[in-house]
Amino acid sequence: MRGGSRRLVVDTPVISDMPAITLFGVSFWGNPFDIGQEWTEENAIGRLWKRFLALQATLPREALSPDAESFEVHVMAPQDAERGLREVFVGRRIVRGHVYPVEFCVKVIPASSCARVTLRGREIRDGWDWLYGTWLPASGFRDRSWMVQVYDARFKGVAPGEIESSVIEAIIPVVPK
């Protein structure tokens, strides 16, 4: 079954349990769109990814998990949401036994019941309004103050022509209403 919003069609999320994940990476706190549009390399999130990728390139191969997944975590405290403020963390799974340089921080994503959905092409930019504005209110669940985007080899980039052929996984932790 697929849910729709005007001209956009997004898969209906599947509720499943997600185990805890420990990540290493870098973070930002503020309004990431104060300095650029959404889904561009010029905003604070794009700059954060550039910083992370440059730091990651300095690590030995054995410090990187073989799954090649990268994560973008948004933590949005209710009191800050109105102003667009949030923490954005980008990173990868830690490799047990490896010590990461001080330039990185660690984020533990708790085990949670989550709504998971694959976003493709235009859905990556425009599907969030449907997910949070249409699907979630009708779902019998409410979201928690964070969400995760998972990037793998299917994500091509944010430039025109790249995002249209990209795929990401969206993970929204939920609790029953």
Side-chain angles (χ1 to χ4, degrees):
M1 177 174 177
R2 290 171 69 85
S5 114
R6 290 193 219 179
R7 296 164 289 177
L8 186 69
V9 178
V10 177
D11 289 341
T12 300
V14 174
I15 306 300
S16 64
D17 290 332
M18 180 182 79
I21 305 169
T22 304
L23 306 171
F24 75 92
V26 295
S27 67
F28 160 87
W29 191 88
N31 183 335
F33 311 115
D34 278 347
I35 58 170
Q37 298 294 319
E38 293 181 10
W39 296 100
T40 67
E41 292 182 0
E42 289 75 40
N43 66 34
I45 298 171
R47 291 178 181 186
L48 186 63
W49 275 105
K50 287 178 186 177
R51 185 171 138 227
F52 172 70
L53 293 171
L55 285 168
Q56 176 186 262
T58 68
L59 296 174
R61 178 178 242 153
E62 61 271 10
L64 303 175
S65 59
D67 63 19
E69 289 179 328
S70 294
F71 298 81
E72 181 175 309
V73 181
H74 291 243
V75 181
M76 301 151 289
Q79 66 271 18
D80 295 327
E82 187 175 296
R83 296 183 298 165
L85 302 175
R86 67 186 78 188
E87 177 191 7
V88 181
F89 173 94
V90 299
R92 291 183 65 172
R93 293 179 201 269
I94 65 162
V95 174
R96 292 200 188 280
H98 187 80
V99 176
Y100 293 89
V102 70
E103 292 86 0
F104 292 106
C105 53
V106 172
K107 172 94 46 197
V108 178
I109 307 300
S112 182
S113 180
C114 294
R116 298 180 71 110
V117 64
T118 301
L119 300 176
R120 297 167 187 85
R122 201 174 115 220
E123 296 170 356
I124 295 170
R125 287 188 180 147
D126 302 331
W128 302 100
D129 288 340
W130 180 82
L131 284 168
Y132 281 95
T134 302
W135 176 80
L136 190 61
S139 71
F141 295 96
R142 64 179 172 80
D143 66 319
R144 297 178 65 192
S145 62
W146 54 278
M147 67 84 139
V148 178
Q149 298 170 18
V150 183
Y151 298 83
D152 58 24
R154 299 173 297 168
F155 185 73
K156 308 303 179 198
V158 296
E162 292 175 337
I163 201 161
E164 291 81 6
S165 62
S166 291
V167 176
I168 69 169
E169 299 296 323
I171 302 171
I172 302 168
V174 293
V175 293
K177 288 184 183 175

